[in-house]
Amino acid sequence: QVQLVESGGGSVQAGGSLKLSCAASEYTDRMGWFRQAPGKEREGVASIWRDSKGYADSVKGRFAISYDNAKNTVYLQMGSLKPEDTAMYYCAAQTIGWGFSLRASEYKYWGQGTQVTVSS
């Protein structure tokens, strides 16, 4: 059972930056970040698998995902934040996988979520 612990959420003004972290209890092949705003479906934001990375169109050029192998920790650097980025952000992991994925169904383990609020 992989445990995921997220941190780094908070409130920021539009145009600002935040960095989310997610520490896994063990190595996982694929990790991703998802978000869910009130009344909306959960959507994939970014994913990483080895050296491959994928992003939702809505965050390309603004967000960057990275992984620290030594710490089993995935990061999401978010920049040029917009009010529409406001959501609960979740870290997800899959121990064995092939390629990055923005589909929630391809992840078995989930963190508790961290809130990101962007004000205009």
Side-chain angles (χ1 to χ4, degrees):
Q1 186 80 3
V2 178
Q3 306 293 325
L4 301 173
V5 179
E6 299 130 330
S7 61
S11 298
V12 65
Q13 289 190 327
S17 301
L18 280 175
K19 187 174 184 178
L20 306 183
S21 302
C22 173
S25 57
E26 61 187 80
Y27 172 79
T28 59
D29 238 3
R30 176 196 294 140
M31 296 196 78
W33 287 98
F34 291 75
R35 67 186 181 187
Q36 188 167 20
K40 294 188 177 181
E41 294 186 355
R42 187 171 297 191
E43 64 168 338
V45 174
S47 173
I48 187 167
W49 177 81
R50 301 184 187 180
D51 292 332
S52 296
K53 303 174 184 179
Y55 299 93
D57 288 343
S58 59
V59 306
K60 280 182 182 176
R62 300 189 298 121
F63 291 12
I65 190 171
S66 60
Y67 186 75
D68 186 330
N69 284 306
K71 298 180 179 179
N72 290 335
T73 298
V74 65
Y75 303 95
L76 184 68
Q77 179 68 54
M78 305 185 293
S80 301
L81 283 162
K82 304 175 182 179
E84 51 263 44
D85 294 318
T86 295
M88 185 70 79
Y89 282 71
Y90 297 90
C91 173
Q94 180 65 22
T95 48
I96 298 175
W98 186 263
F100 62 79
S101 176
L102 297 179
R103 290 185 287 189
S105 61
E106 297 195 0
Y107 294 84
K108 181 176 181 180
Y109 302 103
W110 292 83
Q112 294 299 308
T114 185
Q115 178 68 37
V116 172
T117 302
V118 184
S119 58
S120 57

